[in-house]
């Protein structure tokens, strides 16, 4: 484990320093393989949460033989505590769109979509304005890649890439069995790259800075910079861009209110880290990198926090697979029963085992990750669950 | 040969075709992996998760039904981790389930119950999350829907979509509220449902069952005033044994008749009789249509399509209301039987028809609805008072305490108990076509149909759409208009195949003269009222039993049935005659498509 | 129901009859009519050649597609943890007092529906709520009274 001092940087939100779509234009002067290699070399990983190496995803997509490929920007930001994508789309939509276009050009896609969560409908005209500029540029540059906005309709699970694709195909947003992965068999059965808003913006910056420069940021395990959505008991709520690799202790010192008891890293699908582990926890290492960080001070009841999460999961689970549909309900009812003394404290251990079954057997990331927050809260704040 | 992949399951090397699942591969080496949402007839869902296995190199478990086998995979199907997970999943399903198994119709024939017992699931380990105030939907004549027993495997949804292309059932809502329901949660009798009952035979639990009428039947049997008559369809006798200790594919005709008599039915008759009658009427109807088209150049609806399958009839009424003229006007054998029971039978036996209770023992759920169609009262009474499924008959036999395995055989009663091999094969897909051709060819040419042993093999088998053609040569003078005509025939089973046939007709591109359509895959032997489970392996065995029964019959053409000859002499006078029209034919109604 | 028929036709012509256009079509109807009526869904089924059950199944999956007629103004208060920490309960109480309905209910005359919703993506500015397409952040009871007062006075 290596960690570095907390450092605020200004990569993704750096002001536009070049003419519109200059980065895309420059990328298109190089060979496609070279650009994909640049992405691989940069060490950039998906910024949505799962952390798959972006360059590799593009490389696989490029290798697919198909008459049609798609590039989809996942702007279904629904993880509680996350709002960075909103800020990106408001402030630097061009970087997002450039990233999509570079990807499309490199992998050979001619059609792109921004899957925008329903709650962000008010951003449509703003994004469309930028898309108009982009399409004008694409026409001039002879780039055959058109982008449309696809509106979500209100479902957290559609942030899961195969659920998102189902939703775009006019169905219930239920995750698919994998394999096959979207890269082979995605939207309308065609190879499809789905990346998060921040991933595309970061890809643009990798092309702008070059892999060598980009990977100077961060540690060996995590390259580059990352946006953190900071909320909860913090005097500095908002989106902050930080170099990856800092310890949670530094983070809490910088952003907490001096009374921080725990930090939820990676949204409700991530881990709840108690104060005693701040020193040894590197944000993004072994936990998810979506960038949601919710800070809780000593006045907060961790039972209420967990109850809120579980209610969220039980509602936002798509409901198709047994462990997630029933498991989320059981965990919620279970902690209520322990709290109200209808079940003994030891029942919590049974529930931790259940959460592990959910991790092992759920169809998608939602059910698989419930155990992260559940077990970390139950183990670290057991008394609060009981009394 | 398709590309092969090699993998290792529980230490055994196995080679399968690329694209086959881990579950398929395990089956090949005799390793049983439990499943719930999986069904051989349907596409993969992968949502119950009980088929999970350990895959080397993965830190989560792998659903074996939904994961293609890959070269070099190392799979373990029964490790402590796998067993614990499965037991936990079973416990979760049970916690969401109405566990009053003792009063459930599917008790002892329930996949959830079997697995819960196998894994010795502790019912108290988790709190119950069964939704409160769930009401059983009993609105339909045919199907009961009890959401408290639903495990959300979506087999019914996939059945309704993939086999039947009706899509009456869908997954609705999300998360903890997710359920299997209908458009706007409307009751089953208000939606576009064909009542085929395939959802029932594909349901692993008691969530979908047929509406049961056996209590009423018992009451009628016990009433000394009532004369209770039952006729049983050909498919019942080749499947009933499955519920009563016989291997799949055993013919139990004689034992069934004995059992029904012992139970107290006053008369046990054979639906095959009216199947033979259907053939006479339908073949003549077809010949009239052909003559009208070829000789009188009239604009008649061709191809003509069979109307024996009430699921199919309701399907076309909903989906193709503009094309009902293609349907034969013949009632189904069940309804012909009912109409004759309260007229011809009553007259011959000297029984007051108002005292007759006519019961139909059917492999079918839709027959219950059909019996209750308001137009089915041509005898002046309710032609068929109640339809029972094969399953209900099996239950009634059990309720009577009869030792079915040891029962002696007996013959159907008379009258309307005599049948031919042609009537028997109605039960299998292609059977009506074969029976019709055996008679039609004879009527037209005076010679038996030119197939070895009368077995028209091209119309047999489980292919979704089958076709054949027959050229008429040396016709009798009356049918000289068919001389040299090559008539084309098609057979479809499963409503998704029916849709293809109909779309061809709608487009004006149908090359056929006569088409047989059955709502259920495999025909009646795979009907919605048949013992559970049903899959292709079972369908094939039941079909074989049907053809064996045919071969064993001394008479194998409908028009040679002596009782048929007699009923025309004594009662109906002639095919398509006035009495026939009144009692044996019907009209159809347009229904809403959505 | 000629109007619904026209509306659906317009939308189906615009987006296309293929299944993949179902969400845009449903959302188009929703924007015009504030919910998806039974008639509208049946019309979509007819025009897009889909089963009505599947359309209902799809619509009922998404929280922004309503299949029953709710209030003209839908108030969605964010119930995610950070908004809860920032005082969501007080906001709900204020709204319940003013509207005389509970969460999940609609006022008489179908003017307002009071709903809770999952994360609105405004966690740094909670408590937050959405009234139809308008966002309101950093809410306090006083602020809510002012905002809602304006709706009641001006936008009825």
């Amino acid at each position: 484990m290596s960690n570095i001092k907390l450092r605020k940087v200004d990569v993704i939100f750096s002001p536009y320093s070049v003419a519109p779509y200059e980065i895309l234009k420059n990328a298109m002067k190089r060979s496609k393989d070279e650009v994909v290699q640049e992405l691989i070399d940069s060490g950039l990983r998906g910024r949505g949460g799962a952390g798959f190496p972006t360059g590799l995803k593009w490389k696989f997509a490029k290798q697919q033989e198909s008459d049609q490929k798609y590039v989809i920007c996942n702007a279904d930001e629904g993880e509680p505590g996350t709002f960075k994508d909103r800020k990106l789309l408001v402030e630097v939509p061009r970087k997002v769109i450039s990233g999509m276009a570079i990807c499309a050009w490199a992998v050979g896609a001619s059609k792109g979509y921004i899957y925008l969560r329903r709650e962000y409908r008010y951003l449509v005209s703003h994004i469309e304005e930028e898309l108009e500029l982009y399409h004008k540029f694409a026409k001039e540059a002879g780039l055959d890649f058109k982008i449309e906005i696809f509106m979500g309709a209100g479902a957290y699970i559609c942030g899961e890439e195969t659920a998102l694709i189902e939703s775009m195909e006019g169905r219930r947003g239920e995750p698919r069995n994998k394999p096959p992965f979207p890269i082979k068999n995605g939207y309308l059965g065609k190879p499809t790259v789905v990346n998060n808003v921040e991933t595309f913006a970061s890809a643009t910056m990798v092309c702008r800075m070059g892999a060598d420069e980009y990977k100077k940021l961060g540690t060996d395990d995590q390259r580059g910079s990352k946006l953190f959505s900071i909320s909860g008991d913090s005097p500095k709520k908002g989106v902050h861009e930080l170099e990856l690799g800092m310890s949670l202790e530094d983070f809490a010192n910088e952003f907490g209110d001096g009374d921080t008891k725990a930090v939820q890293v990676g949204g409700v699908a991530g881990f709840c880290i108690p104060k005693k582990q701040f020193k040894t926890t590197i944000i993004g290492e072994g936990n998810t990198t979506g960038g949601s960080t919710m800070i809780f001070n000593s006045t907060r009841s961790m039972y209420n926090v967990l109850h809120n999460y579980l209610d969220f999961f039980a509602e936002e689970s798509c409901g198709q697979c047994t462990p997630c549909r029933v498991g989320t309900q059981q965990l919620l009812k279970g902690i209520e029963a322990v709290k109200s003394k209808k079940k003994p404290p030891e029942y919590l251990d049974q529930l931790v085992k259940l959460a592990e079954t959910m991790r092992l057997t759920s169809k998608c990331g939602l059910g698989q990750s419930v155990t992260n927050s559940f077990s970390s809260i139950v183990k670290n704040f057991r008394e609060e669950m009981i009394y | 040969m398709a590309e092969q992949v090699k993998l290792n399951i529980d230490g055994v090397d196995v080679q399968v075709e690329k694209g086959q699942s881990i579950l398929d591969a395990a089956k090949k080496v005799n390793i049983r992996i439990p499943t719930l949402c999986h069904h051989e007839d349907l596409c993969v869902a992968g949502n119950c998760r009980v088929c999970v296995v350990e895959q080397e190199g993965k830190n989560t478990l792998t659903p074996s039904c939904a994961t293609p086998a890959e070269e070099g995979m190392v799979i373990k199907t029964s490790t402590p981790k796998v067993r614990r997970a499965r037991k936990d999943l079973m416990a979760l399903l049970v916690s969401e389930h109405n566990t009053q198994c003792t009063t459930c119709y599917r008790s002892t024939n329930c996949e959830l119950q079997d697995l819960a017992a196998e894994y010795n699931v502790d019912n108290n380990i988790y709190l119950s999350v069964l939704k409160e105030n769930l009401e059983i939907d009993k609105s339909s004549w045919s199907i009961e829907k009890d959401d408290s027993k639903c495990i959300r495997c979506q087999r019914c949804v996939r059945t309704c979509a993939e086999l039947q292309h009706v899509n009456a059932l869908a997954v609705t809502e999300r998360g903890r509220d997710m359920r299997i329901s209908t458009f706007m949660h409307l009751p089953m009798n208000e939606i576009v449902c064909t009542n085929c009952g395939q959802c029932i035979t594909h349901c692993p639990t008691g969530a979908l069952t047929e509406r049961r009428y056996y209590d009423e039947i018992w009451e009628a049997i016990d009433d000394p005033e009532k004369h209770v008559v039952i006729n049983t369809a050909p498919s019942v006798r080749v499947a009933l044994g499955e519920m009563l200790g016989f291997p799949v594919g055993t013919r139990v005709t004689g034992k069934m008749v004995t059992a029904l008599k012992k139970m107290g039915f006053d008369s046990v008759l054979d639906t095959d009789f009216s199947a033979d009658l259907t053939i006479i009427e339908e073949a003549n109807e077809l010949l009239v249509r052909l003559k009208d088209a070829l000789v009188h150049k009239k604009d008649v609806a061709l191809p003509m399509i069979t109307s024996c399958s009430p699921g199919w009839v309701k399907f076309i009424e909903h989906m193709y209301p503009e094309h009902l003229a293609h349907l034969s006007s013949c009632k189904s054998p069940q309804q012909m039987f009912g109409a004759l029971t309260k007229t011809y039978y009553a007259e011959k036996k000297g029984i007051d028809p108002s005292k007759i209770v006519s019961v139909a023992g059917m492999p079918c759920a839709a027959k219950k609805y059909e019996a209750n169609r308001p137009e089915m009262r041509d005898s002046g009474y309710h032609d068929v008072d109640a339809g029972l499924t094969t399953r209900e008959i099996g239950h009634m036999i059990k309720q009577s305490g009869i030792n079915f395995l040891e029962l002696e055989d007996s013959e159907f009663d008379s009258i309307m108990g005599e049948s031919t091999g042609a009537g028997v094969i109605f039960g299998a897909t292609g059977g009506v076509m074969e029976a019709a051709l055996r008679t039609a060819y004879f009527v037209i040419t005076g010679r038996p149909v030119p197939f070895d042993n009368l077995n028209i093999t091209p119309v047999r088998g489980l292919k979704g759409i089958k076709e054949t053609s027959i050229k008429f040569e040396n016709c009798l003078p009356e049918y000289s208009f068919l001389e040299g005509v090559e008539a084309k025939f098609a057979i479809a089973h499963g409503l998704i195949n029916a849709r293809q046939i109909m779309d061809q007709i709608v487009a004006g591109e149908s090359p056929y003269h006569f088409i047989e359509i059955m709502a259920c895959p495999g025909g009646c032997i795979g009907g919605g009222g048949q013992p559970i489970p049903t899959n292709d392996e079972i369908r094939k065995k039941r079909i074989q039993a049907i053809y064996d029964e045919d071969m064993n019959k001394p008479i194998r053409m409908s028009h040679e049935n002596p009782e048929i000859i007699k009923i025309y002499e004594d009662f109906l006078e002639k095919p398509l005659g006035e009495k026939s029209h009144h009692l044996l034919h019907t009209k159809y109604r347009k229904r809403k498509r959505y | 129901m000629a109007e619904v028929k026209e509306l659906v036709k317009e939308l189906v012509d615009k987006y296309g009859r293929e299944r993949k256009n179902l969400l845009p079509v449903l959302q188009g109807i929703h924007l015009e009519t504030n919910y998806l009526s039974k008639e509208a869904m049946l019309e979509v089924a007819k025009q897009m050649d889909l089963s009505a059950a599947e359309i209902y199944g799809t619509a009922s999956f998404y929280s922004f597609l309503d299949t029953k007629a709710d209030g003209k103004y839908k108030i969605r208060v964010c119930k995610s943890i950070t908004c809860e920490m920032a005082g969501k309960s007080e906001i709900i109480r204020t709204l319940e007092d003013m509207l005389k309905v509970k969460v999940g209910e609609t006022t008489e005359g179908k003017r307002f529906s009071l709903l809770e919703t999952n994360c609105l993506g405004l966690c740094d500015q909670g408590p937050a709520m959405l009234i139809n397409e308008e966002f309101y952040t950093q809410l306090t009871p006083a602020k809510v009274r002012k905002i809602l007062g304006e709706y009641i006075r001006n936008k009825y």
Side-chain angles (χ1 to χ4, degrees), chain A residues 172 174 318-320 325 329, chain B residues 96 131-137 145-148 150-154 156-157 169-187, chain C residues 53 56-57 60-61:
Chain A
R172 299 165 55 82
E174 293 176 348
C318 80
Q320 65 167 324
R325 177 186 68 252
Q329 296 176 66
Chain B
E96 194 187 30
K131 300 275 175 303
E132 282 162 25
N133 310 321
L134 291 174
E135 273 179 34
I136 303 174
D137 180 352
K145 182 165 174 286
D146 182 353
D147 287 348
S148 74
C150 175
I151 61 166
R152 293 152 179 86
C153 66
Q154 305 185 26
C156 55
V157 176
L169 295 171
V171 184
T172 69
E173 276 79 29
R174 185 180 75 202
R176 59 184 152 208
D177 298 323
M178 179 269 214
R179 58 191 278 207
I180 309 303
S181 192
T182 57
F183 176 60
M184 311 262 320
H185 307 305
L186 287 172
Chain C
Y56 179 73
S60 61
F61 185 85

Side-chain angles (χ1 to χ4, degrees), chain A residues 154-157 172 174 177-179 310-311 314-323 325-327 329-330 332-334 337 343 347 350-351 353-354 357 359-363 368, chain B residues 44-49 52 59-63 66-68 70 81 84-85 88-89 92-93 95-96 124-129 131 151-152 154 171-178:
Chain A
Y156 166 74
I157 189 60
R172 299 165 55 82
E174 293 176 348
N177 292 305
K178 295 169 284 264
L310 292 172
D311 190 57
E315 206 169 283
E316 295 291 348
S317 159
C318 80
Q320 65 167 324
C321 82
T322 309
R325 177 186 68 252
V326 193
Q329 296 176 66
Q330 285 297 352
L332 178 61
K333 269 205 154 183
K343 284 274 187 186
Y347 190 57
Q350 178 65 41
L351 295 177
K353 282 187 205 153
L354 170 59
T357 298
R359 184 186 75 77
L360 287 170
T361 62
S362 290
K363 195 169 194 171
Q368 288 168 7
Chain B
V44 166
N47 54 32
C48 77
R49 316 305 278 182
V52 287
N59 69 355
T60 56
L61 297 175
T62 298
T67 310
E70 274 170 39
K81 198 181 189 180
R84 262 199 307 270
D88 227 5
L89 290 167
L92 289 177
L93 284 169
S95 78
E96 194 187 30
N124 296 317
I125 194 163
Y126 296 122
L127 300 155
S128 170
V129 291
K131 300 275 175 303
I151 61 166
R152 293 152 179 86
Q154 305 185 26
V171 184
T172 69
E173 276 79 29
R174 185 180 75 202
R176 59 184 152 208
D177 298 323
M178 179 269 214

Side-chain angles (χ1 to χ4, degrees), chain A residues 77 79-84 86 117 119-120 122 230-231 237, chain C residues 76 78 80 82-83 86 118-130 134-138:
Chain A
E77 179 175 60
E79 189 68 52
T82 316
F83 40 94
K84 61 175 179 82
R86 165 174 56 88
R117 70 183 302 219
E119 290 82 347
Y120 292 172
Y122 68 106
I230 297 169
S231 62
K237 285 189 270 235
Chain C
R76 292 181 157 92
C78 179
S80 281
T82 46
C83 281
N118 284 321
C119 190
L120 289 171
L122 295 159
C123 322
D124 51 342
Q125 302 164 57
M129 70 175 177
L130 190 60
E134 296 290 323
F135 278 97
Y136 300 91
T137 56
Q138 288 168 325

Side-chain angles (χ1 to χ4, degrees), chain C residues 80-121:
Chain C
S80 281
I81 184 66
T82 46
C83 281
E84 189 180 306
M85 285 158 62
K88 177 216 82 175
S89 309
E90 262 188 295
I91 304 305
I92 292 282
R93 256 199 307 279
T94 309
L95 286 164
E96 285 179 340
D97 279 353
M98 288 186 79
L99 298 170
K100 309 274 179 280
V101 292
K102 297 267 168 234
V103 170
E105 293 175 353
T106 297
T107 57
E108 261 180 60
K110 293 199 171 28
R111 288 187 179 114
F112 294 95
S113 291
L114 181 57
L115 306 162
E116 284 186 333
T117 188
N118 284 321
C119 190
L120 289 171

